[in-house]
Amino acid sequence: SHHHHWSNFISSDREGCERVEGGCIIPPHLPAMKRSSPENEEAASSTEEKRQRSPSFQQPSDVLHLNVGGTLTAVLRRTLTSIEGSMLASRFSGRWDDSLEKDRDGNFFIDQPIGLFQPMIDYLRAKACETMLAPPVTSPEFDDVRKLKDFVRMVEYFGMTAGIYPTELEMCRGEISASKISGHPHLGVISSEYATFTLETRGHKRPIRSFSVILGDVEKIEIGLVRANHFVKKLRKGDHRGVGMERYTFCLDCSQGGLLYEGSFTKLDGLSTEKGTLIRCENKGERWLVNGQVVASSIALEDSFHLPPDLQQYSLIP
């Protein structure tokens, strides 16, 4: 059996900005939060005032006193809840403080070893004071393999994987000065020239099997996969070949309207590069959808496309 890893590639040429949330590239015109009307803002304000008058309400910046597996520690609420959508963000939002488990002294009790929980907290603290001038914060590392597995299991249990082991965009080909990349939790890229970017996980080896992309303003875009170590990085100005043109590369070429495998093109119907178009790749390239409609699939009884056999034996990542 083969254990080669594939990297996920996005080649694009555009002026527009994109964000990625949970594997989705989101155009800049979509706000992170819904816009409120004056009436909604008034209602929200009233609800907020009532919540603040509630005995159980606490400000998000409160210091939380924790008993972690018998060891006392303290952390800012905003630090512990900094990973959006996680169990810890929900549990310690301030709404449920009265119902959470506490020890006899009133400290919040977390039934985890301090040796696993503390590295996670230290990582969140480091991320909170991260700056462009300092080395980037890296995921916690452990020499003990068993301890690493226990840590990953705990992180997964708390729903913190996306924050502790983030998926990152990295330029693979193109001129660095012509592009700008934003990181977790709103992954995205702006590129004024044709460039190729990889979408990869950090800190663990689980491949990304499915992912979604929402287009911004694009002139040319190819979304696909490439086998690791078979697509040479070229960070310089000038023309370069994108994903789908070289050996061991495969993509959905939205600009030409078809599938591109090692330079061989297959025309498809229903492709679009309009702003806001949602493109989804499922099961490592076996199924492609555009705005919810299947445009290519190698799944039984759907003959629109057959994934090349030599790609099926490898792990693919968006």
Side-chain angles (χ1 to χ4, degrees):
S1 63
H2 297 265
H3 300 283
H4 302 285
H5 291 285
W6 284 70
S7 296
N8 309 290
F9 274 68
I10 300 173
S11 296
S12 62
D13 179 9
R14 61 194 175 282
E15 296 290 345
C17 176
E18 297 177 345
R19 295 202 318 273
V20 179
E21 296 183 356
C24 299
I25 298 185
I26 312 294
H29 67 282
L30 295 180
M33 300 180 67
K34 293 181 179 178
R35 299 185 186 276
S36 301
S37 64
E39 294 81 3
N40 290 339
E41 290 176 353
E42 213 172 285
S45 176
S46 175
T47 302
E48 181 66 17
E49 288 174 6
K50 290 178 181 177
R51 195 164 73 90
Q52 292 194 26
R53 288 198 299 269
S54 168
S56 63
F57 175 78
Q58 295 185 348
Q59 292 291 340
S61 59
D62 286 347
V63 175
L64 297 174
H65 295 276
L66 309 176
N67 180 335
V68 183
T71 301
L72 299 181
T73 187
V75 61
L76 286 174
R77 188 186 297 271
R78 64 172 176 265
T79 300
L80 193 61
T81 61
S82 58
I83 306 301
E84 297 177 19
S86 68
M87 181 195 297
L88 292 179
S90 174
R91 181 181 291 182
F92 291 97
S93 63
R95 299 179 59 191
W96 317 109
D97 286 3
D98 291 344
S99 60
L100 295 178
E101 297 93 340
K102 301 180 181 68
D103 64 14
R104 62 186 178 185
D105 297 319
N107 301 302
F108 294 106
F109 186 77
I110 295 179
D111 197 17
Q112 295 288 340
I114 189 67
L116 297 181
F117 198 79
Q118 193 65 52
M120 182 176 71
I121 295 302
D122 290 342
Y123 172 82
L124 296 177
R125 286 169 170 159
K127 290 295 289 184
C129 59
E130 189 174 33
T131 68
M132 294 295 292
L133 300 179
V137 178
T138 58
S139 304
E141 297 178 357
F142 299 89
D143 294 330
D144 187 328
V145 175
R146 181 176 178 180
K147 192 172 183 180
L148 173 61
K149 290 180 178 179
D150 289 340
F151 179 79
V152 171
R153 187 182 302 111
M154 179 194 70
V155 168
E156 187 73 21
Y157 171 74
F158 285 130
M160 305 281 281
T161 302
I164 305 300
Y165 297 116
T167 299
E168 296 180 355
L169 276 167
E170 182 177 320
M171 177 176 277
C172 184
R173 291 186 177 182
E175 187 180 8
I176 294 177
S177 62
S179 302
K180 181 180 180 182
I181 298 174
S182 56
H184 177 83
H186 304 299
L187 287 180
V189 59
I190 307 170
S191 182
S192 59
E193 297 182 4
Y194 186 69
T196 302
F197 304 85
T198 60
L199 179 62
E200 301 180 68
T201 56
R202 294 286 184 265
H204 66 88
K205 297 180 181 179
R206 291 178 301 174
I208 301 171
R209 298 183 64 88
S210 301
F211 63 99
S212 297
V213 177
I214 298 181
L215 305 183
D217 289 318
V218 297
E219 293 179 15
K220 181 178 181 181
I221 179 116
E222 297 142 4
I223 305 166
L225 308 108
V226 63
R227 182 177 165 186
N229 303 319
H230 285 268
F231 197 82
V232 180
K233 181 178 285 191
K234 298 176 182 177
L235 299 180
R236 61 174 182 262
K237 190 172 184 178
D239 295 336
H240 73 271
R241 296 202 294 179
V243 61
M245 290 301 296
E246 296 186 7
R247 191 181 180 193
Y248 299 120
T249 68
F250 162 68
C251 78
L252 192 70
D253 188 331
C254 302
S255 306
Q256 293 189 75
L259 290 159
L260 194 58
Y261 169 60
E262 297 185 346
S264 177
F265 182 75
T266 304
K267 184 71 176 177
L268 293 175
D269 295 325
L271 296 191
S272 171
T273 57
E274 294 179 1
K275 180 186 286 189
T277 296
L278 171 63
I279 298 173
R280 180 164 178 78
C281 169
E282 295 183 347
N283 198 28
K284 302 183 296 184
E286 287 194 340
R287 180 176 158 106
W288 295 84
L289 300 92
V290 175
N291 293 328
Q293 300 296 315
V294 176
V295 295
S297 175
S298 61
I299 297 173
L301 303 180
E302 296 183 13
D303 298 324
S304 58
F305 159 67
H306 292 284
L307 189 69
D310 56 337
L311 288 185
Q312 296 176 353
Q313 59 188 332
Y314 302 116
S315 297
L316 307 179
I317 306 172

